[in-house]
Amino acid sequence: MKINQYVKLFFVMVIIGMFVCACAKPSHININYQLPSKLDELKGQKVFFDLKDKRTDKTIFSENAKKKLKNLTGLFSLSLIQKSEQDGSLVGVFDLSSLFREAFKRRLENMGIEVLLLQEKKEPAIKIVIKDFFLDLVDRKWTVRIMYETSLIKDEKTLARQTLSGEAERLRLIGSGDAEKVLGEIFTDMVNKLDLPKLFRDAKQL
């Protein structure tokens, strides 16, 4: 009889432990990034790619957002969606800088550009600086701001520059799905909005 009681107690403790771990589990914000149709317009181009986070305020989530999205870690899981697909394939979990770096690297390669691991003097460099990234919850609406600057540099001279910014909002219903959806939409739009052919033309590299 006592053995049965110990067995029951053991299973109760296991269930409680699993529940506590589940509740304490850190939360990653899921972002689906949809690549545009594959183009070879810049095939043959080689660039060194660098990205910096130079936001004056490193806050990613407002206090209202933190209250609704529990156990935030500041990490994002990135899923990649091809143009003809609906479901994405998980790429990995990243901090904000690495998230942008991974997405832009894939965007460059999608245009036919070879991304160099080491900077070569004869090849240009693309430098992206994150200026703003903020998720807020205002009047039951998720709002997102993103801003970044892109420069094409060669021989330590800036040959062309583009500054892009955007905002999006979505009504909050239940859970974190709406926040993740609006983040995925604006993130995809902002990454794909970079006009790479124009950047190279303005720099007279085409």
Side-chain angles (χ1 to χ4, degrees):
M1 187 72 177
K2 288 184 177 180
I3 294 177
N4 288 338
Q5 288 177 336
Y6 282 126
V7 170
K8 289 179 180 178
L9 180 61
F10 172 77
F11 280 111
V12 169
M13 293 301 292
V14 168
I15 292 171
I16 292 174
M18 291 173 64
F19 178 76
V20 170
C21 289
C23 291
K25 185 178 179 180
S27 174
H28 300 151
I29 296 294
N30 300 310
I31 290 187
N32 291 322
Y33 169 54
Q34 184 166 344
L35 274 167
S37 299
K38 188 175 179 64
L39 296 172
D40 290 329
E41 188 172 351
L42 297 175
K43 189 173 182 178
Q45 293 286 347
K46 298 179 181 180
V47 299
F48 174 74
F49 172 55
D50 188 29
L51 184 141
K52 302 291 185 185
D53 181 359
K54 291 192 176 181
R55 291 172 296 142
T56 53
D57 184 352
K58 301 296 185 183
T59 305
I60 297 175
F61 310 104
S62 71
E63 290 302 319
N64 284 341
K66 289 178 182 178
K67 289 176 184 177
K68 298 301 179 182
L69 303 172
K70 305 295 184 181
N71 305 315
L72 290 172
T73 61
L75 296 178
F76 301 84
S77 60
L78 176 66
S79 293
L80 193 67
I81 302 176
Q82 301 293 339
K83 193 69 175 177
S84 59
E85 298 175 350
Q86 289 186 342
D87 298 323
S89 55
L90 181 65
V91 177
V93 176
F94 307 93
D95 61 17
L96 186 65
S97 294
S98 299
L99 173 75
F100 274 89
R101 186 176 289 108
E102 183 66 25
F104 275 110
K105 179 177 179 291
R106 290 176 181 265
R107 173 81 205 287
L108 292 170
E109 292 172 339
N110 195 58
M111 294 290 293
I113 299 172
E114 180 182 345
V115 179
L116 302 172
L117 296 177
L118 297 174
Q119 189 164 8
E120 298 180 7
K121 189 174 182 179
K122 64 178 182 178
E123 304 295 350
I126 286 181
K127 181 179 180 181
I128 292 180
V129 176
I130 304 172
K131 298 283 191 178
D132 191 18
F133 185 97
F134 191 67
L135 174 67
D136 198 358
L137 180 61
V138 181
D139 297 330
R140 292 189 55 80
K141 286 184 179 180
W142 294 110
T143 63
V144 188
R145 299 193 317 261
I146 296 177
M147 180 180 179
Y148 66 90
E149 181 181 271
T150 304
S151 303
L152 197 148
I153 302 167
K154 191 173 183 180
D155 298 327
E156 299 183 357
K157 294 180 180 179
T158 299
L159 304 179
R161 180 182 285 119
Q162 291 181 24
T163 300
L164 298 102
S165 62
E167 296 185 22
E169 65 178 31
R170 189 178 187 87
L171 184 66
R172 177 183 176 267
L173 297 176
I174 299 174
S176 62
D178 300 299
E180 292 175 342
K181 190 165 183 62
V182 71
L183 270 170
E185 289 172 351
I186 187 65
F187 184 80
T188 292
D189 183 58
M190 291 305 300
V191 172
N192 293 346
K193 201 172 182 180
L194 175 61
D195 193 337
L196 287 163
K198 184 177 187 303
L199 191 73
F200 277 83
R201 286 195 302 271
D202 290 347
K204 296 181 171 54
Q205 297 298 302
L206 281 181

